[in-house]
């Protein structure tokens, strides 16, 4: 329904609301009058028609009252008015017909102002008034022939007075109602604008919170979903903001469709959406809903001449007693973060394990902010070995944090906490400076692989700082390899490419870390300024158990060879694993079999004694 139609419907309802008391008052007064007449008014020679019609009027009033009670329907009020007016005309007609008396003609004249004042609309007042006038004139013509002219004047004046008063009253009433409706429409529109996301028409963050609070207060089972679009920014950057906006509108339509009656979708800002879900909220139902959601959002978007695809990550949390909406959202956000890191395109439900992890995270985050990072952070180095030439070609720099309060904290934990809080860019810079300082003392042929986070690539300032740190150190940039994970690349492909381009222009090499953990797509590798691929440890752990793992590794090694990329296999722990890898001509290997990560001071002694040790070890 258009807003003009909605306003018209609203206006009619409000007009009915305003006029109902008038019609009801009319019914009550008429009923009271005719009840009195039923009991006490008699016409000589009447066999009982007058009391009968009076009584019928009282009954009709009662029925019409019921018919119009609570009705915001003008047509019902009109019907009641017509019916009662007709009844009054009949009553008067019966009375005057039974016993004509010139004074009784006044009844017809009196009906005119009554109809005019009491009808819901002029279309009710007018026919009754005209009918009374005609009857008035007919009786005057028949019985008052000589003074008919006077009666015409009286009747005409009564008709004019009645219709004028009725018209003026209704115009005034309608004006008030119209003003009220306009004010109400403006208020509702303002409310809608304040509660709505202007682009997609979905609820905005504010009304999402209000709705979620209401569901929480109602104590019905519910779940919250947070949705983040993967690959939206590249669409925006490549095709422009207009197409980006169109895409968000289609996303909103798809969300509405998937939610149906069970979900309240909202746009939280940018490419982040949320849903309050009521109905079945068990794991199976949430997984099924999440799968439908992801599938729908993954479908191709045809936006004018542009056809594109994106994917979505979803984090769910069940509304738990004792949690506020903000706390629920915080947990859904954690699940979303988890979904983005680990299972892109698959929904993640916040669990008890996440709860423990999250509280550890916030403790780590808190402590990290207050820590003396220059003193507490250190770097260890793990060799990457060329098994053909039997020598170490590079070391991977791995961060260590020994906090005064928490002791040793695994890098998986504190790096992720720092990534979430944004502290990572600072930490990266500190670690890089330390690494460069160590490298200055090592032989020129030894390279170092240094891990970067997605966040580092996202800011031009941090890339600038990284380049400056490398330049200032005096270390040859060609000795530095920067590792970046697949998932980090895909968060914002174009921006990552641009940042890596800047680092490559400086002379650094680039490696894709943990390849195979995420999308494992060669589709984009050739579009990246990459020199090396590091195959994820999970393939090596499956090497002995699953025959397919070695086939996959072989395929990746062959592809790397064709693309002239180096290929490092991570996490080799046993001789058996190494033997299998050597059968498929793996060349560069990193793992505990050769050495665990070692402090910087141990690097030179290790290099001096390494030669035959690695291959002899088991
Ligand atoms: P990564 O970059 O994939 O590093 C390899 C991880 O595998 C290291 O864990 C290393 O100690 C471990 N590893 C190496 N060989 C073996 C093996 O044979 N068996 C097993 N089980 N593990 C092996 P670590 O040092 O705990 O680092 C974990 C992750 O933390 C790293 O994975 C990296 O993603 C991140 N990280 C570490 N240092 C940094 C850093 O300076 N910056 C950033 N952004 N991330 C870092
Ligand atoms: Mg790495
Ligand atoms: Mg790795």
């Amino acid at each position: 329904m258009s807003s003009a139609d909605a306003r018209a419907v609203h206006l009619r309802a409000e007009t009915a609301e305003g006029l109902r008391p008038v019609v009801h008052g009319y019914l009550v007064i008429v009923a009271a009058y005719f009840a009195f007449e039923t009991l006490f008014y008699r016409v000589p020679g009447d066999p009982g028609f007058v009391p009968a019609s009076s009584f019928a009027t009282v009954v009709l009033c009662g029925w019409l009252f019921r018919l119009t009670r609570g009705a915001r329907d003008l047509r019902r009020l009109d019907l009641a008015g017509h019916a009662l007016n007709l009844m009054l005309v009949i009553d008067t007609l019966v009375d005057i017909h039974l016993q004509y008396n010139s004074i009784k003609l006044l009844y017809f004249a009196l009906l005119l102002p009554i109809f005019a004042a009491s009808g819901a609309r002029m279309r009710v007042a007018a026919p009754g008034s005209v009918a009374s006038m005609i009857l008035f004139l007919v009786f005057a013509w028949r019985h008052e022939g000589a003074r008919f002219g006077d009666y015409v004047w009286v009747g005409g004046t009564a008709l004019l007075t009645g219709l004028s008063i009725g018209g003026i009253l209704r115009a005034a009433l309608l004006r008030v109602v119209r003003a009220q409706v306009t004010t109400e429409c403006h208020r509702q529109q303002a409310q809608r604008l304040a509660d709505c996301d202007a682009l997609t028409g979905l609820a905005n963050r504010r009304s999402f919170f209000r709705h979620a609070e209401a569901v929480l207060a109602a104590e019905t089972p519910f779940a919250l979903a947070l949705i983040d679009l993967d690959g939206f920014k590249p669409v925006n950057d490549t095709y422009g903001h207009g197409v980006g906006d169109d895409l968000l509108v289609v996303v909103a339509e798809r969300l509405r469709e998937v939610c149906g009656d069970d979900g309240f979708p909202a746009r939280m800002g940018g490419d982040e959406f949320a849903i309050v879900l009521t109905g079945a909220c068990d794991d199976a139902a949430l997984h099924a809903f999440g799968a439908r959601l992801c599938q729908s959002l993954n479908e191709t978007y045809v936006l004018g001449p542009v056809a594109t695809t994106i994917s979505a990550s979803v984090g769910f949390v069940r509304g738990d007693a004792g949690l506020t909406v903000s706390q629920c959202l915080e947990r859904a956000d954690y699940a979303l973060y988890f979904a983005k890191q680990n299972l892109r395109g698959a929904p993640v439900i916040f669990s008890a394990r996440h709860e423990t992890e999250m509280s550890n995270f916030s403790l780590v985050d808190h402590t990290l902010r207050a820590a003396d990072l220059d003193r507490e952070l250190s770097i260890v180095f793990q060799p990457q070995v060329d098994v053909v030439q039997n020598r170490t070609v590079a070391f991977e720099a791995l961060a260590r944090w020994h906090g005064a309060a928490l002791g040793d904290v695994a890098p998986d934990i504190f790096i992720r906490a720092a990534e979430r809080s944004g502290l990572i860019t600072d930490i990266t810079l500190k670690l890089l400076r330390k690494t460069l300082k160590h490298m200055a003392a090592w032989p020129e042929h030894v390279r170092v692989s240094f891990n970067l986070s997605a966040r580092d690539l996202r800011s031009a300032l941090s890339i600038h700082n990284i380049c400056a740190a490398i330049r200032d150190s005096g270390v040859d940039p060609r000795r530095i390899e920067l590792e970046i994970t697949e998932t980090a690349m895909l968060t914002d492909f174009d921006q990552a490419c641009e940042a890596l381009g800047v680092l490559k222009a400086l002379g650094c090499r680039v490696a894709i870390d943990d390849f195979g953990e995420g999308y494992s797509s060669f589709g984009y590798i050739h579009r990246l300024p990459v020199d090396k691929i590091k195959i994820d440890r999970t393939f090596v752990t499956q090497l002995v158990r699953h025959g397919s793992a070695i086939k996959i590794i072989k395929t990746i090694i062959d592809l790397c060879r064709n693309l002239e990329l180096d290929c490092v296999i991570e996490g080799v722990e046993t001789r058996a694993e190494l033997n299998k890898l050597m059968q498929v001509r793996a060349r560069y290997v990193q793992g505990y079999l050769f050495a665990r990560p070692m402090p910087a001071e141990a690097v030179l002694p290790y290099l001096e004694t390494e030669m035959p040790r690695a291959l002899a070890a088991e």
Side-chain angles (χ1 to χ4, degrees):
M1 196 191 288
S2 73
S3 68
D5 290 345
R7 186 179 182 277
V9 170
H10 189 49
L11 182 64
R12 287 169 67 87
E14 285 304 309
T15 309
E17 191 73 37
L19 289 172
R20 201 173 55 221
V22 177
V23 176
H24 275 186
Y26 179 37
L27 288 168
V28 170
I29 292 168
V30 170
Y33 174 82
F34 278 91
F36 185 80
E37 216 180 77
T38 311
L39 294 174
F40 304 111
Y41 183 65
R42 294 290 176 268
V43 177
D46 173 20
F49 291 142
V50 169
S53 73
S54 299
F55 182 68
T57 309
V58 175
V59 173
L60 181 70
C61 284
W63 182 73
L64 292 175
F65 197 93
R66 276 194 61 188
L67 180 79
T68 51
R69 194 165 50 194
R72 288 165 65 87
D73 181 355
L74 270 176
R75 275 169 311 180
R76 281 198 192 191
L77 295 178
D78 287 349
L79 183 75
H82 281 305
L84 195 59
N85 291 354
L86 181 66
M87 199 65 208
L88 290 191
V89 171
I90 292 171
D91 283 328
T92 312
L93 196 60
V94 169
D95 185 3
I96 207 163
H97 183 72
L98 284 171
Q99 186 199 45
Y100 177 79
N101 182 339
S102 61
I103 201 78
K104 284 190 181 176
L105 283 181
L106 275 180
Y107 283 133
F108 282 121
L110 273 176
L111 288 180
L112 300 182
I114 292 174
F115 290 171
S118 60
R121 289 189 279 186
M122 283 309 284
R123 68 176 65 168
V124 179
S129 304
V130 171
S132 304
M133 193 65 250
I134 291 171
L135 288 169
F136 175 81
L137 293 178
V138 168
F139 278 95
W141 172 260
R142 278 178 56 190
H143 299 284
E144 311 290 337
R147 289 191 292 159
F148 181 66
D150 294 340
Y151 280 93
V152 170
W153 274 108
V154 170
T157 311
L159 185 65
L160 189 69
T161 313
L163 294 182
S164 308
I165 292 173
I168 292 165
L169 280 179
R170 258 156 215 81
L173 192 76
L174 280 180
R175 203 178 168 142
V176 172
V177 170
R178 212 168 273 139
Q180 262 180 4
V181 167
T182 307
T183 313
E184 176 62 16
C185 283
H186 285 160
R187 196 193 61 74
Q188 282 181 2
Q189 206 175 5
Q191 178 82 28
R192 255 199 313 277
L193 285 178
D195 285 347
C196 245
D197 170 55
L199 175 66
T200 60
L202 287 182
N204 60 14
R205 194 181 183 87
R206 209 172 80 122
S207 63
F208 173 83
F209 265 89
R210 209 180 32 236
H211 184 81
E213 304 275 4
V215 173
L216 188 76
E219 293 182 4
T220 42
F222 76 100
L224 297 187
L226 261 190
I227 302 145
D228 193 79
L229 305 181
D230 303 315
F232 171 69
K233 196 167 178 302
V235 172
N236 229 357
D237 293 346
T238 314
Y239 302 112
H241 289 265
V243 172
D245 285 354
D246 291 348
L247 186 131
L248 290 175
V249 171
V250 180
V251 165
E253 278 165 16
R254 293 187 187 179
L255 285 184
R256 273 195 211 99
E257 201 179 301
V258 175
C259 284
D261 293 335
D262 288 338
F264 178 87
R267 182 174 173 215
M268 304 299 267
D271 61 348
E272 194 175 83
F273 295 83
I275 300 172
V276 182
L277 268 172
T278 41
C281 291
D282 54 289
D283 274 11
L286 291 184
H287 273 300
F289 180 82
R292 263 187 291 132
L293 199 68
C294 290
Q295 193 190 349
S296 164
L297 295 179
N298 283 1
E299 272 164 28
T300 307
Y301 294 77
V302 182
L303 312 161
V306 175
T308 187
T309 52
I310 53 165
S311 63
S313 304
V314 189
F316 285 104
V317 64
R318 257 185 295 275
D320 251 334
L323 288 185
T324 63
V325 172
S326 301
Q327 286 169 330
C328 287
L329 264 187
E330 207 182 318
R331 281 154 179 76
D333 188 44
Y334 187 84
L336 174 65
Y337 175 74
F338 203 84
K340 268 187 145 11
Q341 291 297 308
N342 301 276
L343 298 154
R344 291 163 67 89
V348 170
I349 303 173
F350 188 82
S351 64
R353 187 170 65 87
H354 294 134
E355 183 77 57
T356 324
E357 230 177 72
M358 203 173 106
S359 53
N360 289 345
F361 249 57
S362 61
L363 176 69
V364 167
D365 180 36
H366 199 239
T367 320
L368 208 52
R369 283 168 199 272
D372 176 0
L373 291 178
D374 273 327
R375 205 165 52 80
E376 294 178 4
L377 283 177
S378 63
I379 299 272
V380 289
F381 296 89
Q382 187 181 30
Q384 289 173 359
V385 178
D386 176 346
V387 292
V388 174
Q389 292 196 353
N390 197 13
R391 67 186 184 104
T392 296
V393 287
F395 287 87
E396 177 170 9
L398 294 160
R400 295 292 178 262
W401 178 36
H402 182 85
L406 299 177
D408 286 328
V409 181
D412 281 333
I413 305 284
F414 78 84
I415 294 284
R416 267 166 65 188
E419 280 172 346
R420 267 177 77 92
S421 67
L423 214 60
I424 189 68
T425 45
D426 243 22
I427 290 183
T428 298
L429 215 56
K430 284 190 191 341
L431 292 170
L432 181 63
R433 290 201 180 112
K434 280 178 193 276
T435 303
L436 291 164
K437 214 164 147 189
H438 293 309
M439 281 181 78
W442 299 342
E444 280 290 313
H445 72 272
V446 175
R447 290 200 303 264
V448 164
S449 263
F450 184 85
N451 292 284
L452 289 183
S453 288
R455 278 245 188 181
D456 295 317
L457 299 188
R458 241 181 269 157
S459 126
L461 179 66
S462 72
I463 293 296
H464 169 84
N465 289 341
I466 288 169
C467 290
I470 294 172
R471 254 187 250 112
D472 295 349
S473 70
V475 172
D476 183 350
R478 284 171 300 180
R479 292 176 61 201
I480 300 164
E481 203 161 64
L482 297 159
E483 291 189 11
I484 178 86
T485 60
E486 252 189 301
T487 13
M489 281 299 313
L490 293 175
T491 311
D492 189 344
F493 190 80
D494 290 338
Q495 199 171 14
C497 279
E498 205 180 306
L500 293 180
V502 174
L503 295 166
K504 287 257 324 177
L506 187 69
C508 301
R509 285 161 55 92
V510 171
I512 295 288
D513 202 359
D514 303 342
F515 187 80
E517 194 205 24
Y519 275 138
S520 319
S521 168
F522 265 93
Y524 63 84
I525 290 288
H526 69 278
R527 289 164 54 200
L528 282 174
V530 170
D531 304 282
K532 185 180 201 173
I533 280 177
K534 296 184 74 183
I535 300 181
D536 193 59
R537 195 166 69 83
T538 45
F539 287 105
V540 178
T541 48
Q542 291 172 10
L543 207 56
V544 185
R545 262 174 292 141
H546 299 291
S548 58
I550 192 68
K551 288 187 191 143
I552 296 171
I553 292 179
K554 182 177 181 322
T555 309
I556 301 176
I557 290 173
D558 289 346
L559 276 165
C560 285
R561 193 166 293 128
N562 288 339
L563 294 169
E564 294 178 351
L565 302 175
D566 285 348
C567 181
V568 177
I569 325 279
E570 289 190 277
V572 178
E573 293 186 358
T574 66
R575 182 78 208 192
E577 287 166 354
L578 181 64
N579 287 342
K580 281 217 161 220
L581 290 170
M582 288 178 77
Q583 282 167 18
V584 292
R585 297 172 61 206
R587 179 161 184 187
Y588 301 105
V589 176
Q590 178 181 346
Y592 293 168
L593 175 63
F594 299 98
R596 289 189 175 249
M598 60 188 81
E601 309 77 62
V603 166
L604 280 177
Y606 166 85
L607 283 173
E608 278 158 20
T609 57
E610 76 160 341
M611 285 298 280
R613 190 189 48 197
L615 292 175
E618 164 59 80

